Amino acid sequence: MYENIFSHNFILNFFFGFFFLISNVLFTLCVTKNDNVKRFFFFKEYQSIVIYFLIFCIYSVILNISVITDYKNLSTVIYSIFFLQIFYTIINFGHLKSLLHFKFKNDEKFVILVFFSLFLISILPLSDADSMSIYQYIPATIYNEGLDKVDLIQNLEFTLLSNTEILLLLSSIFKSENLGSQLNLITILFFILVKFKDHKDFSLIILSSPLIIYFISAQKLQLFFGMIFLLLFILVNKNLIKKKIELFIFIILLAFYSSGKFSYILFTIPLYIYFFYKNLNHWKHLILYSLISFIIIYFPLLTIKQIYFDNII
């Protein structure tokens, strides 16, 4: 099945996924610099990181709906959206001129050097053969033949379908078998570079942890969703949520995080309670936004389970 999806050419396998992810980073920066977005200026200095995660949240919703309607059109839908992103980035490339003159300090160069070594780990094909066979199996099956013929008795792991597997469909769409590990790496690199000056100790802890090699080399998106949880906790703890649009964005990202694996709901509950307590004066809006977020994030995912597995749980 894998040979029908991924190329035997390592450079092609790497390039398309890498180009997609870097394009999303550039698109995020362009959107952040947009005057209309600046007018909202939500979440202050964390705005670009929030937008970055929102983009992948939107991708997950679109992928879920595409799996429900017709999995054979997955590539067409995603490529259409991706080309619109590239078009927007090209038109607004002037917003990125400041990046051309950006100079890294010595400690920041050290971070880049460490991440380059982790980057090599993330793209080497022999570093995670077991990860490929485990975490890419469900997305590859969905992309290649859909869910109609899946025997749940023989393939019980399909009942654990979540937005981790849905996002990993991007690997099959862009013919990049290591897109998951690249997504983990680029997410944490983007997070650290944006906030390195304010959280240097955090960066050093991350880089010195032996577990970081496992999290980055694996296709499983634990690190990606873990960074969402960290971001949301910071936003609540620093009282950066002031406007109604910020309340809604926070809740929808929290719902997105919880859908990464259904076990993540256990971590979501205390953070949601903490968030609710901090914003009790907006309790009516919080309940409304929670219902809307559930419909947007969970309804398509649970619909897939009901249609193909006859059980949303």
Side-chain angles (χ1 to χ4, degrees):
M1 177 170 62
Y2 292 109
E3 60 271 14
N4 295 331
I5 299 176
F6 305 116
S7 170
H8 292 291
N9 188 315
F10 168 72
I11 295 176
L12 291 178
N13 270 343
F14 150 73
F15 175 76
F16 291 120
F18 182 73
F19 178 70
F20 168 73
L21 295 175
I22 292 299
S23 298
N24 273 282
V25 171
L26 296 177
F27 176 72
T28 297
L29 295 174
C30 283
V31 172
T32 304
K33 297 288 185 180
N34 185 283
D35 291 335
N36 292 324
V37 176
K38 277 185 176 180
R39 206 173 301 158
F40 289 109
F41 203 67
F42 51 83
F43 302 118
K44 295 186 178 179
E45 69 268 27
Y46 291 93
Q47 185 182 57
S48 59
I49 306 172
V50 170
I51 292 173
Y52 173 80
F53 285 123
L54 272 176
I55 291 170
F56 284 97
C57 177
I58 293 170
Y59 267 117
S60 72
V61 173
I62 293 171
L63 285 167
N64 275 304
I65 294 173
S66 299
V67 171
I68 294 170
T69 53
D70 185 4
Y71 74 92
K72 294 180 181 179
N73 288 324
L74 280 169
S75 295
T76 304
V77 173
I78 296 302
Y79 275 124
S80 299
I81 297 170
F82 181 50
F83 286 137
L84 288 175
Q85 278 186 216
I86 294 176
F87 181 69
Y88 178 88
T89 304
I90 293 173
I91 291 178
N92 296 276
F93 196 75
H95 295 320
L96 302 176
K97 286 182 179 179
S98 58
L99 295 177
L100 301 176
H101 306 289
F102 187 82
K103 294 183 179 180
F104 291 104
K105 296 180 180 179
N106 288 333
D107 49 4
E108 292 172 329
K109 289 179 181 177
F110 171 74
V111 171
I112 296 294
L113 181 62
V114 173
F115 267 92
F116 181 72
S117 64
L118 294 173
F119 175 68
L120 293 178
I121 293 173
S122 73
I123 66 174
L124 290 175
L126 295 180
S127 63
D128 65 339
D130 57 335
S131 176
M132 274 293 301
S133 62
I134 296 172
Y135 303 125
Q136 289 285 8
Y137 179 62
I138 297 177
T141 301
I142 294 174
Y143 180 81
N144 205 41
E145 56 193 45
L147 293 169
D148 287 320
K149 300 177 182 178
V150 173
D151 187 342
L152 293 183
I153 296 177
Q154 293 182 348
N155 300 280
L156 189 61
E157 66 271 21
F158 276 80
T159 60
L160 301 176
L161 178 70
S162 64
N163 269 337
T164 291
E165 288 75 27
I166 293 298
L167 277 178
L168 285 175
L169 275 167
L170 294 170
S171 288
S172 298
I173 292 170
F174 288 97
K175 315 298 182 185
S176 179
E177 61 187 11
N178 47 35
L179 187 141
S181 55
Q182 290 187 63
L183 177 57
N184 283 328
L185 177 70
I186 290 175
T187 297
I188 194 170
L189 176 61
F190 185 46
F191 194 101
I192 284 180
L193 287 180
V194 170
K195 298 305 302 172
F196 182 73
K197 294 178 182 178
D198 299 330
H199 301 284
K200 192 173 294 186
D201 290 340
F202 166 77
S203 304
L204 295 175
I205 290 172
I206 290 293
L207 294 175
S208 62
S209 172
L211 277 174
I212 199 69
I213 297 175
Y214 164 74
F215 285 131
I216 286 176
S217 64
Q219 296 302 312
K220 195 173 183 180
L221 303 180
Q222 288 174 310
L223 192 56
F224 173 80
F225 282 101
M227 297 307 294
I228 296 177
F229 185 87
L230 176 63
L231 171 65
L232 296 177
F233 177 79
I234 292 172
L235 295 179
V236 175
N237 206 46
K238 286 193 169 186
N239 293 314
L240 295 178
I241 307 170
K242 305 295 183 182
K243 303 175 182 178
K244 291 180 182 178
I245 188 173
E246 293 173 339
L247 294 172
F248 177 67
I249 290 174
F250 177 91
I251 292 177
I252 203 163
L253 280 181
L254 186 60
F256 178 50
Y257 162 76
S258 69
S259 69
K261 280 291 178 190
F262 286 109
S263 59
Y264 292 176
I265 294 175
L266 296 175
F267 298 97
T268 303
I269 292 172
L271 183 56
Y272 182 78
I273 293 173
Y274 183 38
F275 164 71
F276 204 97
Y277 171 75
K278 286 261 192 176
N279 297 275
L280 268 177
N281 53 324
H282 297 291
W283 67 271
K284 290 182 179 178
H285 292 103
L286 297 185
I287 293 174
L288 175 62
Y289 296 157
S290 298
L291 290 173
I292 295 173
S293 298
F294 177 83
I295 293 172
I296 293 174
I297 302 297
Y298 272 96
F299 184 75
L301 187 59
L302 297 179
T303 300
I304 291 174
K305 289 177 175 283
Q306 182 60 42
I307 291 174
Y308 297 106
F309 309 149
D310 295 322
N311 192 323
I312 64 172
I313 300 176

